[in-house]
């Protein structure tokens, strides 16, 4: 073997055994891996707090920036970076003996062709899937650049000796590679006591990549305590949009009965739980086909108003919705989940409050203008006025660009972490909230509770550039990957090419990283059920909300619908990211859009197709949770046509092959010498 040179900035080895209180920089150095800086042109402006939350507390003359040409921009903690286009750089900060390093990735084409080969003792071997000349390599342990010994082997692989650092517990090694003017996928190697993890038994619920999310709507899940039921029960509100009785006690009971454990869930995402209004709001008119529901008097309605059963109209933002239970009921739910080794994340609403909220009554100037400068009403302008537009007339958008608004509002979010043992947040409507809010919230979390594991995932519809602008160490850990979801349902339900899905997956890996924790969803409370679209019971071109109000939505062609819905889940559970099941999707619940996708959860009475579907989902979840290839493995594309997608996930030489056929005819994959049945898949371990 011959040694190769590393293109690295010199950095101090970091010892994690100190018993002294850790400084903010030391805490950052030991935290989960910092998101890399992506250069997007000749110069790139970055906010340092996106990578080092709290850095603004330091004086500029005591912080050194090494590795890049830079200039300070204005008076804020941000820089303009300029660098060579085909060089890996390291952005390193020194402060009072502490050192933190951030990978800086050039603006080059991206390819997935690097994977781990093996590990033995204190060595890790990795290789490129094709010959490349003089690769540049950058290696990071936690958030410090290191210079380990790396030797090229006779068969073209590279053997890395792990850094000689004393550390107990979980840490991570990252490797970035550039060769032949291409940026390769990064390698992420989880370490336990400075040795690579080789057994899923070494993982726990705090390892973010191991998560399998389950999204539930509290009111529509299970009624565990009928004593707290409080329907509005008025003619103006149809029962389908009134409270149904689901509560904290119901979730706790289902945890104790083994529902989530049997399914294989590690993280429960619960809908918002702040107190919502006690009266009816909103308005939906039935101007076309008659509504299929009757009001409480048995009359045919011409319209309906809504209760706040969904939780997205907070009126008392730091009070628990009394229809869901008490604060102690919530604490018992969280304690029960943790005893069963499950996380619970809270869906939190920051964009708006209900117009009747005492907070808005006291601060009427805290909201954005509902009228644009040109005189148009500023409602539902999701992209044109995304930071100011109102969702509805009764839920004004908060002007969160102002410190006097975002400071108390971020404190309100922290209330739920400080008073309840939540493991993180699902944040609603992220792209409608300015970045200063997310920076303030994350800084407060990391400085006020440095030892707390808090995972935050957001909701943003848009292109990867917009979505990724919120995925930073100083903002959110992840967002839901709606681009993969929308492409996948079009591929399986509308006969788009598999090549479109392959491109979308690889684009996500290039933007978010090869080992991201972006959410891969089966659906959500704002989407029509895919099985009904796939089976034709619901047309892709019709108003899916209106359809659910006017007729009962079934599955349609059951011979193909369940198979197509299963293929969507196969993708979610085998590509990088965190798979997420929306309640009912595990047995392929049929339905249109809101509120037809929010019926009370069923726990029994499945038909034959639903029972078979549920069994297959359980197999996928088990496979995902019990194979390191699917948790930390590198994604390597193998073969794609209009009908077939094949790839493998590789971890330390172990491989899982995934081959998916979306057509209604068998497909031969000559390169792999396998045949895939119609509307089917193959998952093989090697």
């Amino acid at each position: 073997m011959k040694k190769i040179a590393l293109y690295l900035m010199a950095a101090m080895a970091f010892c994690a055994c100190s018993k002294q209180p850790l400084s903010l920089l030391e805490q950052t150095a030991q935290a989960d891996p910092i998101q890399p800086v992506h250069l997007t042109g000749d110069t790139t402006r970055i906010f340092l707090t996106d990578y080092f939350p709290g850095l603004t507390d330091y004086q500029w003359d005591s912080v050194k920036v090494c590795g890049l040409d830079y200039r300070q921009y204005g008076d804020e903690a941000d820089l303009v970076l300029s660098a060579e286009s085909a060089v890996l750089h390291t952005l390193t900060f020194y402060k009072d003996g502490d050192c933190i390093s951030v990978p800086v990735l050039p603006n080059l084409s991206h390819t997935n062709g690097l994977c781990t080969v093996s590990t033995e003792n204190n060595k890790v071997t990795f290789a490129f899937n094709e010959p490349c000349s003089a690769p540049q390599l950058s290696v990071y342990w936690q958030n410090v650049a290191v210079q380990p010994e790396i030797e090229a082997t006779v068969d073209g692989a590279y053997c890395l000796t792990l850094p000689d650092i004393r550390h107990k517990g979980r840490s991570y090694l990252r490797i970035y590679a550039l060769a032949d003017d291409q940026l390769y996928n990064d390698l992420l190697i989880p370490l336990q006591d400075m040795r690579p993890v080789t057994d899923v038994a070494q993982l726990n619920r705090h390892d973010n990549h191991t998560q399998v999310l389950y999204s539930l709507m509290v009111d529509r899940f299970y009624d565990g305590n009928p004593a707290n039921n409080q329907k509005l029960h008025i003619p103006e509100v149809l029962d389908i949009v009134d409270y149904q009785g689901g509560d904290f006690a119901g979730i706790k009971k289902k945890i104790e009965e083994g529902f989530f454990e049997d399914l294989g869930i590690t993280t429960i995402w619960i809908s918002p739980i702040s107190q919502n209004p006690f009266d009816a709001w909103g308005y939906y008119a039935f101007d076309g086909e008659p509504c299929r529901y009757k009001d409480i008097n048995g009359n045919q309605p011409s319209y309906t108003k809504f209760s706040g059963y969904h939780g997205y109209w907070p009126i008392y933002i730091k009070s628990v919705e009394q229809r869901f239970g008490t604060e102690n009921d919530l604490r018992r739910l969280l304690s029960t989940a943790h005893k069963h080794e499950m996380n619970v994340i809270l869906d939190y609403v920051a964009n708006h409050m209900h117009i009747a909220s005492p907070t808005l009554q006291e601060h009427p100037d805290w909201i954005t203008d509902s009228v644009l400068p040109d005189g148009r009403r500023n409602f539902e302008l999701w992209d044109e006025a995304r930071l100011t537009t109102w969702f509805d007339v009764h839920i004004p958008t908060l002007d969160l660009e102002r410190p006097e608004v975002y400071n108390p509002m971020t404190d309100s979010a922290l209330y739920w972490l400080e008073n309840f043992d939540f493991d993180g947040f699902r944040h609603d409507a992220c792209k409608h909230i300015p970045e200063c809010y997310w920076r303030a919230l994350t800084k407060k979390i990391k400085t006020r509770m440095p030892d707390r594991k808090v995972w935050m995932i957001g909701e943003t519809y848009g292109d990867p550039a917009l979505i990724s602008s919120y995925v930073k160490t100083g903002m959110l850990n992840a967002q839901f990957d709606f681009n993969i979801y929308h492409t996948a349902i079009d591929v399986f339900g509308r006969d788009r090419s598999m090549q479109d899905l392959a491109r979308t997956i690889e684009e996500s890996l290039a933007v978010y990283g090869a080992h991201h924790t972006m959410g891969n969803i089966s659906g959500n409370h704002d989407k029509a059920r895919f099985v009904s679209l796939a089976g034709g019971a619901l047309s892709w071109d019709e108003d899916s909300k209106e359809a659910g109000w006017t007729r009962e939505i079934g599955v349609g062609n059951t011979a193909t619908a369940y198979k197509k819905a299963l293929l969507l889940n196969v993708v979610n559970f085998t590509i990088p990211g965190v798979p997420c099941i929306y309640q009912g999707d595990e047995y392929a619940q049929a339905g249109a859009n809101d509120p037809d996708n929010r019926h009370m959860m069923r726990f029994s009475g499945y038909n034959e197709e639903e029972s078979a579907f549920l069994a297959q989902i359980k197999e996928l979840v088990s496979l995902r949770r019990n194979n390191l290839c699917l948790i930390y493995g590198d994604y390597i594309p193998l073969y794609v046509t209009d009908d077939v997608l094949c790839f493998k996930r590789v971890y330390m030489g172990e491989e899982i092959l995934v081959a998916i056929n979306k057509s209604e005819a068998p497909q031969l994959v000559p390169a792999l010498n396998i045949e895939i049945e119609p509307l089917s898949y193959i998952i093989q371990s090697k």
Side-chain angles (χ1 to χ4, degrees), residues 473-505:
T473 301
M475 289 195 270
L476 304 176
N477 299 89
Q479 296 221 62
F480 294 102
D481 198 331
F482 290 110
N483 293 308
I484 284 182
Y485 168 77
H486 288 130
T487 303
I489 64 172
D490 279 355
V491 166
F492 297 126
R494 306 182 79 176
D495 203 29
R496 272 182 66 183
S497 172
M498 273 287 209
Q499 299 192 56
D500 293 338
L501 179 56
R503 280 191 293 268
T504 304
I505 292 171

Side-chain angles (χ1 to χ4, degrees), residues 214 216-229 244-260 268 270 323-326 329-330 332-334 336 583 600-601 603:
Y214 190 90
L216 62 84
M217 187 162 280
V218 178
D219 178 66
R220 302 305 168 93
F221 189 65
Y222 189 74
D223 186 356
N225 180 14
N228 59 34
N229 292 359
Q244 299 299 311
D247 49 27
F248 301 142
I251 302 170
K252 176 176 176 288
K253 182 176 182 180
K254 288 303 175 182
I255 295 173
E256 293 170 331
E257 290 179 353
F259 167 79
F260 296 101
I268 303 169
I270 65 173
R323 299 173 180 89
F324 298 162
T326 66
D329 290 333
L330 176 58
R332 283 189 282 268
L333 160 60
L334 295 172
T336 301
Q583 70 172 58
M600 205 68 181
M601 177 71 180
F603 296 95

Side-chain angles (χ1 to χ4, degrees), residues 100 137 324 334 418 457 549 620:
I100 309 179
L137 303 172
F324 298 162
L334 295 172
E418 292 169 340
I457 186 168
W549 283 113
L620 283 174

Side-chain angles (χ1 to χ4, degrees), residues 201-239:
Q202 296 174 275
L203 304 174
N204 59 59
R205 68 182 179 89
H206 297 299
D207 290 301
N208 293 336
H209 292 81
T210 68
Q211 295 184 86
V212 176
L213 264 66
Y214 190 90
S215 167
L216 62 84
M217 187 162 280
V218 178
D219 178 66
R220 302 305 168 93
F221 189 65
Y222 189 74
D223 186 356
N225 180 14
N228 59 34
N229 292 359
Q230 299 178 45
K231 283 182 179 290
L232 297 185
H233 198 64
I234 56 177
E236 290 79 13
V237 177
L238 295 179
D239 190 65

Side-chain angles (χ1 to χ4, degrees), residues 456-618:
M456 297 196 290
I457 186 168
E459 176 207 34
T460 290
Y461 292 89
D463 61 33
L466 175 63
I467 294 172
S468 66
S469 68
Y470 293 92
V471 182
K472 303 284 179 62
T473 301
M475 289 195 270
L476 304 176
N477 299 89
Q479 296 221 62
F480 294 102
D481 198 331
F482 290 110
N483 293 308
I484 284 182
Y485 168 77
H486 288 130
T487 303
I489 64 172
D490 279 355
V491 166
F492 297 126
R494 306 182 79 176
D495 203 29
R496 272 182 66 183
S497 172
M498 273 287 209
Q499 299 192 56
D500 293 338
L501 179 56
R503 280 191 293 268
T504 304
I505 292 171
E506 293 191 42
E507 181 180 27
S508 288
L509 295 175
V511 173
Y512 310 125
H515 298 277
H516 60 70
T517 56
M518 300 288 286
N520 300 321
I521 65 170
S522 65
N524 67 21
H525 57 275
D526 293 323
K527 299 290 185 184
R529 299 281 187 172
F530 176 61
V531 72
S532 295
L533 289 166
L538 186 65
S539 169
W540 291 89
D541 300 321
E542 69 178 310
D543 183 332
S544 59
K545 283 182 178 284
E546 181 74 12
W549 283 113
T550 57
R551 70 180 192 272
E552 184 173 355
I553 304 296
V555 172
N557 185 351
T558 58
T560 59
Y562 289 103
K563 292 179 180 179
K564 292 177 179 180
L566 185 63
L567 295 184
L568 171 65
N569 283 276
V570 170
V571 170
N572 290 345
F573 279 91
T574 56
I575 66 174
V578 172
C580 178
I581 299 171
Y582 173 54
Q583 70 172 58
D585 280 352
E586 69 270 29
Y587 57 83
Q589 170 70 50
N593 209 330
D594 166 21
D596 199 46
N597 57 2
R598 303 178 183 182
H599 289 283
M600 205 68 181
M601 177 71 180
R602 290 190 286 132
F603 296 95
S604 61
Y606 306 133
N607 61 37
E608 183 177 350
E609 290 92 348
E610 290 171 335
S611 294
F613 192 91
L614 177 59
Q616 290 171 301
I617 292 296
K618 288 180 179 180

Side-chain angles (χ1 to χ4, degrees), residues 6 205 284 594 639:
L6 292 182
R205 68 182 179 89
Y284 190 96
D594 166 21
Y639 180 81

